[in-house]
Amino acid sequence: ASGREMNFPGLIGPVDFYRLRELPQVFARVEGWSRTRAILSSPVRSEAALVEYITDGMFGFLGANAQSGRTFSAEEFKPGSVDVVVIGAGFARRHFDGEPPLGKSIEIDGIRHQIVGVMPPGFQVPNRLLAEAWLPIRHTADQQAGRQGLPIAALAELRPGLSLQQAKSELEPFSAGLNEQFGMGPFQELQLVATPILDLLTG
């Protein structure tokens, strides 16, 4: 916005993200995440930690599998589904002292979530900060059609054979059209820019 670029993926509205998934001429795949701080409580202790909400194909996009248990099913991304969580190996070690945490529950900001999986040590989405738990992003149909609801940082794979410059030229009219239709508040001047993830993480 206003000619300023963010030095790390900016958060975009739900409609921006879901419309990106409808650009097969540009992207082979689009996934995303959103992060927040929360209080995670087990029977042992409570701690403030980084929690990330992820889209339905994010684990698969990163080639990541649970160390034990599983990642999320498609059903668990639907609004109203049972509250589930995948936790990090460090969190499991600190809170369950070597006991299998699968099937047990933790509270996230006071809401009980069932543990369905544990990720390997050191797993993280492309982000400088390490999260302790992952939750499924759940947008209603109304939220997916607008800019209200949990915003997302998008991670995409270019369609084979497409150059970065070609992607940028495709995104310019795409962004302008969304702004004209949905522009509001901080998203009013949003301009989506395709940037290699390596450049974002290492400079």
Side-chain angles (χ1 to χ4, degrees):
S2 303
R4 293 176 289 115
E5 286 193 32
M6 301 187 70
N7 60 5
F8 196 74
L11 296 176
I12 60 177
V15 68
D16 304 89
F17 173 80
Y18 291 104
R19 292 285 180 89
L20 280 175
R21 284 184 158 183
E22 299 172 3
L23 291 178
Q25 73 275 24
V26 181
F27 299 115
R29 192 167 183 177
V30 182
E31 299 297 339
W33 73 95
S34 190
R35 64 183 65 93
T36 187
R37 302 289 295 186
I39 301 299
L40 276 58
S41 303
S42 69
V44 177
R45 56 183 284 198
S46 296
E47 65 176 273
L50 185 67
V51 173
E52 289 173 334
Y53 292 84
I54 62 170
T55 55
D56 50 1
M58 190 63 168
F59 283 129
F61 192 11
L62 297 175
N65 295 306
Q67 175 179 267
S68 60
R70 62 175 177 82
T71 54
F72 303 121
S73 68
E75 284 293 316
E76 289 164 344
F77 287 88
K78 296 179 179 180
S81 300
V82 174
D83 289 318
V84 292
V85 61
V86 171
I87 61 175
F91 183 88
R93 184 179 60 254
R94 293 193 306 274
H95 287 257
F96 295 96
D97 195 26
E99 294 183 13
L102 299 180
K104 298 181 180 178
S105 297
I106 61 172
E107 288 189 357
I108 302 176
D109 283 345
I111 299 175
R112 187 169 297 278
H113 289 68
Q114 182 182 10
I115 300 170
V116 296
V118 180
M119 296 306 290
F123 167 78
Q124 64 189 102
V125 302
N127 176 20
R128 297 184 182 97
L129 302 175
L130 184 64
E132 299 286 356
W134 295 270
L135 303 169
I137 281 182
R138 293 172 177 170
H139 285 120
T140 65
D142 286 345
Q143 289 171 334
Q144 290 184 26
R147 284 179 167 169
Q148 303 286 352
L150 192 68
I152 307 176
L155 180 67
E157 178 186 359
L158 283 178
R159 182 174 60 81
L162 195 75
S163 71
L164 190 63
Q165 190 54 49
Q166 288 173 310
K168 289 180 177 179
S169 65
E170 291 271 3
L171 286 174
E172 287 179 10
F174 171 82
S175 293
L178 284 174
N179 287 340
E180 184 176 349
Q181 187 176 359
F182 299 102
M184 65 169 217
F187 295 109
Q188 191 74 45
E189 300 177 38
L190 182 71
Q191 173 61 51
L192 297 176
V193 179
T195 305
I197 191 69
L198 187 63
D199 292 354
L200 290 169
L201 292 175
T202 65

